[in-house]
């Protein structure tokens, strides 16, 4: 008979490494101050049962013998979510959805359940809300099919029994931090509990060919709470970003074994739930000022989707010895680098000026193609000359002041034409690759001096 006793162990919050004593640095991932104390129940087994396996069961499977008909993707009813997932839901996959509290994770998954329940059995499991609370939130979204079943519990053993009995096509676990296994002695939400419950859910998803969505809370640093190994265990990691007080939400794929991680989905939070934003470019450019200096529209690529965004800059003389530099929506170090290039190669004296750069709409972009937009916005604000409202630009800027080529130039130009822009400033080396330039004036530039010359 197995005997159990409670012992104190230390788990690393980053990699899940287990240690018998506290150490300042984790031996596994070499991170500092990540070991947390937990009390777990250790079982000592007197006799180990050996399981024999037939030799025929150990035969590997040839790749030509694998049937792919059962692996067709399911559509979620949201084109934005399907794009981020790589074309839809893969049966038997484990998807982690993370985000700040109140951002809309549960609302999004409840709407996905509503769409999927029209064609198959769906199970929504909540460890944070009661059945009545879920029904109140569901009434705000709309009518639901009878195929959607709700279950409120936090015991992993009981959840496994319900899933095996219902045999749903998809399961939502809200949230992973509230689930616990009776085989682990620590409290729910601890490193050992999160790791054990995720591993059991992964086995359940693969064994029953059921898709499982798990909701994960994030820490103040913006990463999913629990061990970092949690993100390595799941098939897909999605982050729901945005300001709770703003209407827009951005769904970004951080990890995806079945598709690209460069795609994003844009949603708008309304009273009846989340709605898709089919044209993010038009959404991001709403409220653009007219005739104001320091404002220009640039084009960035997120996966295969071109997104037009407004870059704003404000340059003014500093009253202090050290000028203030601030960037919102882009990398501050990149802005400082571009300002140094402007002063050295563009002839603008910016060393004694405060500079503030902002990407309107709250979206964050780091693609090098927006370099030219930042440079032109800074030059426009410094000279106090407005840029033509129908002008758009894109291009990477090097340390020598050259404007370098970027990929997918034709897609960027086509998106600009669709939204009514009449002039496009782009790298001269990208001009030969364009196939359709009708209806828009193309200005190819080799360096930032030529680009600044198009202002005013």
């Amino acid at each position: 008979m197995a005997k159990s006793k409670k012992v104190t162990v230390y788990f690393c919050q980053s990699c899940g490494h287990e240690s018998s004593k506290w150490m300042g640095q984790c031996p596994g991932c070499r991170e500092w101050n990540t070991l947390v104390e937990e009390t777990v129940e250790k079982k000592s087994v007197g006799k180990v049962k050996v399981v024999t396996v037939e030799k025929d069961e150990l035969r590997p499977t040839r790749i030509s013998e694998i049937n792919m008909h059962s692996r067709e993707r399911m559509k979620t009813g949201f084109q934005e979510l399907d794009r981020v997932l790589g074309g839809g839901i893969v049966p038997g996959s484990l998807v982690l959805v993370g985000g700040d509290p109140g951002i809309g994770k549960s609302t999004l998954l409840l709407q996905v359940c509503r769409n999927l329940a029209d064609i198959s059995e769906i199970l929504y499991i909540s460890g944070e809300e009661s059945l009545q609370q879920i029904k109140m939130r569901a009434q705000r979204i709309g009518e639901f099919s009878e195929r959607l079943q709700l279950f409120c519990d936090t015991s992993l053993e009981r959840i496994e029994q319900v899933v095996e009995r219902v045999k749903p096509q998809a399961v939502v676990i809200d949230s992973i931090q509230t689930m616990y296994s009776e085989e682990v002695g620590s409290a729910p939400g601890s490193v050992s509990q999160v790791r054990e419950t995720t591993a059991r859910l992964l086995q359940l998803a693969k064994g029953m060919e059921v898709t499982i969505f798990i909701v994960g809370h994030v820490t103040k640093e913006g990463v999913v709470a629990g061990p970092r190994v949690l993100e390595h265990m799941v098939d897909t990691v999605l982050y729901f970003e945005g300001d709770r007080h703003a209407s827009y939400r951005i769904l970004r794929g951080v990890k995806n074994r079945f598709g690209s991680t460069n795609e994003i989905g844009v949603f708008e939070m309304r009273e009846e739930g989340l709605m898709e934003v089919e044209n993010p470019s038009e959404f991001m450019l709403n409220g653009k000022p007219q005739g104001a200096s320091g404002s220009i529209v640039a084009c960035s690529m997120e996966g295969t989707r071109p997104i037009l965004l407004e870059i704003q800059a404000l340059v003014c003389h500093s009253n202090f010895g050290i000028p203030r530099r601030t960037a919102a929506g882009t990398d501050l170090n990149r802005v400082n680098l571009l300002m140094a290039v402007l002063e050295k190669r563009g002839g603008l004296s910016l060393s004694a000026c405060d500079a503030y750069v902002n990407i309107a709409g709250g979206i964050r972009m780091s693609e090098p193609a927006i370099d030219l937009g930042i440079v032109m916005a800074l030059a426009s604000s410094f000279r106090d000359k407005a840029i033509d409202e129908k002008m758009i630009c894109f291009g990477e800027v090097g340390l020598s002041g050259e404007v370098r080529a970027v990929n997918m130039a034709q897609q960027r130009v086509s998106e600009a034409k669709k939204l009514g822009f009449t002039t496009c400033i782009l790298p001269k080396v990208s001009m030969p690759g364009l196939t359709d330039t009708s209806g828009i004036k193309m200005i190819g530039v080799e360096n930032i001096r030529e680009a600044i010359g198009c202002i005013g």
Side-chain angles (χ1 to χ4, degrees):
M1 185 176 179
K3 297 181 180 180
S4 62
K5 61 178 181 178
K6 292 185 177 181
V7 297
T8 300
V9 295
Y10 296 87
F11 289 99
C12 175
Q13 292 179 306
S14 294
C15 66
H17 179 82
E18 180 180 346
S19 175
S20 59
K21 61 180 180 179
W22 186 89
M23 289 177 286
Q25 187 183 40
C26 172
C29 62
R30 300 297 177 182
E31 294 286 338
W32 288 92
N33 299 323
T34 56
L35 293 180
V36 294
E37 179 183 356
E38 290 186 13
T39 302
V40 298
E41 189 173 350
K42 293 283 186 178
K43 294 183 179 180
S44 59
V45 182
K47 202 170 189 179
V48 179
K49 183 179 180 180
V50 179
V51 180
T52 59
V53 181
E54 296 293 337
K55 292 183 179 180
D56 294 340
E57 298 180 6
L58 298 176
R59 185 181 67 86
T61 304
R62 298 183 185 276
I63 191 171
S64 58
E65 300 174 357
I66 300 175
N67 184 11
M68 292 295 295
H69 294 292
S70 62
R71 307 296 295 183
E72 295 181 359
R73 295 176 183 260
M74 294 187 301
K75 300 298 181 181
T76 64
F78 286 112
Q79 294 183 1
E80 298 293 308
L81 179 57
D82 290 340
R83 178 187 290 109
V84 178
L85 290 174
I89 301 174
V90 176
S93 60
L94 186 62
V95 182
L96 172 64
V97 181
D100 295 328
I103 202 68
K105 304 183 296 297
S106 301
T107 302
L108 174 64
L109 293 178
L110 191 59
Q111 289 183 257
V112 171
C113 291
R114 177 193 177 190
N115 298 335
L116 295 177
D118 294 334
I119 57 176
S120 58
E121 290 288 336
I122 306 298
L123 180 60
Y124 188 98
I125 301 174
S126 177
E128 300 178 344
E129 297 177 288
S130 64
L131 295 175
Q132 291 75 16
Q133 291 173 332
I134 300 175
K135 182 65 179 295
M136 289 174 58
R137 188 153 48 88
Q139 289 177 340
R140 178 170 54 91
I141 296 175
E143 296 293 331
F144 281 75
S145 171
E146 293 293 332
R147 292 190 179 95
L148 175 61
Q149 301 185 47
L150 305 179
F151 184 67
C152 294
D153 206 326
T154 57
S155 173
L156 184 61
E157 285 74 19
R158 289 193 290 266
I159 290 174
E160 288 177 336
Q161 295 177 9
V162 172
V163 173
E164 292 174 357
R165 183 170 64 250
V166 176
K167 293 182 172 57
Q169 198 75 15
V171 178
V172 174
I173 306 292
D174 188 10
S175 64
I176 191 63
Q177 277 79 18
T178 61
M179 302 298 156
Y180 74 94
S181 173
E182 297 177 359
E183 297 180 0
V184 181
S186 57
S190 61
V191 175
S192 54
Q193 280 285 5
V194 171
R195 183 174 54 184
E196 175 65 20
T197 53
T198 305
R200 296 267 291 275
L201 290 173
L202 180 62
Q203 295 177 359
L204 188 66
K206 305 302 180 185
M208 296 185 59
E209 289 289 319
V210 55
T211 301
I212 299 181
F213 290 88
I214 58 176
V215 177
H217 299 308
V218 298
T219 62
K220 292 186 292 185
E221 290 77 16
V223 298
V224 177
R228 182 60 56 86
V229 72
L230 173 64
E231 297 187 8
H232 300 314
M233 296 171 65
V234 301
D235 298 313
T236 305
V237 180
L238 306 178
Y239 274 94
F240 215 31
E241 305 172 353
D243 189 355
R244 286 186 299 170
H245 307 291
S247 61
Y248 60 85
R249 302 288 189 272
I250 296 175
L251 185 66
R252 190 184 303 273
V254 179
K255 172 189 176 183
N256 192 355
R257 289 175 178 165
F258 314 113
S260 172
T261 57
N262 295 324
E263 302 287 352
I264 67 168
V266 183
F267 296 86
E268 182 181 4
M269 178 63 78
R270 298 181 183 177
E271 185 178 355
E272 61 273 15
L274 288 164
M275 305 297 293
E276 295 179 277
V277 179
E278 297 181 357
N279 194 338
S281 299
E282 185 178 2
F283 181 73
M284 294 296 175
L285 296 180
N286 284 339
K288 183 179 181 298
Q290 298 181 357
S293 62
S295 174
I296 192 171
V297 177
C299 184
S300 178
M301 295 294 297
E302 282 290 338
T304 58
R305 164 186 284 181
I307 296 181
L308 305 188
L309 44 89
E310 180 191 358
I311 298 179
Q312 299 176 335
L314 179 63
V315 179
C316 55
H317 288 284
S318 177
N319 295 323
F320 304 96
I322 301 177
R324 180 179 177 84
R325 309 285 168 81
T326 303
T330 188
D331 185 17
L332 177 60
N333 294 327
R334 189 69 180 175
V335 173
N336 290 330
L337 183 148
L338 294 175
M339 291 186 66
V341 173
L342 263 176
E343 183 157 2
K344 181 72 173 181
R345 310 296 181 184
L348 303 184
S349 181
L350 300 174
S351 58
C353 296
D354 294 335
Y356 308 90
V357 176
N358 174 47
I359 295 182
I363 193 170
R364 182 169 184 84
M365 290 291 178
S366 57
E367 192 197 12
I370 66 173
D371 288 353
L372 188 58
I374 296 175
V375 166
M376 295 193 66
L378 290 168
S380 171
S381 178
F382 180 78
R383 294 181 174 180
D384 200 17
K385 291 184 179 180
I387 301 175
D388 185 9
E389 300 172 1
K390 296 297 182 180
M391 178 181 290
I392 187 175
C393 69
F394 59 86
E396 180 183 358
V397 176
L399 292 180
S400 299
E402 78 279 10
V403 180
R404 307 175 69 90
V406 295
N407 62 342
M408 299 185 181
Q410 182 60 56
Q411 288 87 334
R412 302 173 197 260
V413 173
S414 300
E415 183 73 9
K417 287 170 53 180
K418 187 170 65 175
L419 292 181
F421 288 89
T422 58
T423 307
C424 179
I425 301 178
L426 73 163
K428 193 172 183 179
V429 293
S430 298
M431 294 280 289
L434 301 178
T435 57
D436 182 15
T437 60
S438 59
I440 185 170
K441 181 182 178 182
M442 311 300 296
I443 302 178
V445 295
E446 295 182 347
N447 51 62
I448 61 174
R449 283 186 177 270
E450 296 180 6
I452 295 174
C454 301
I455 301 176

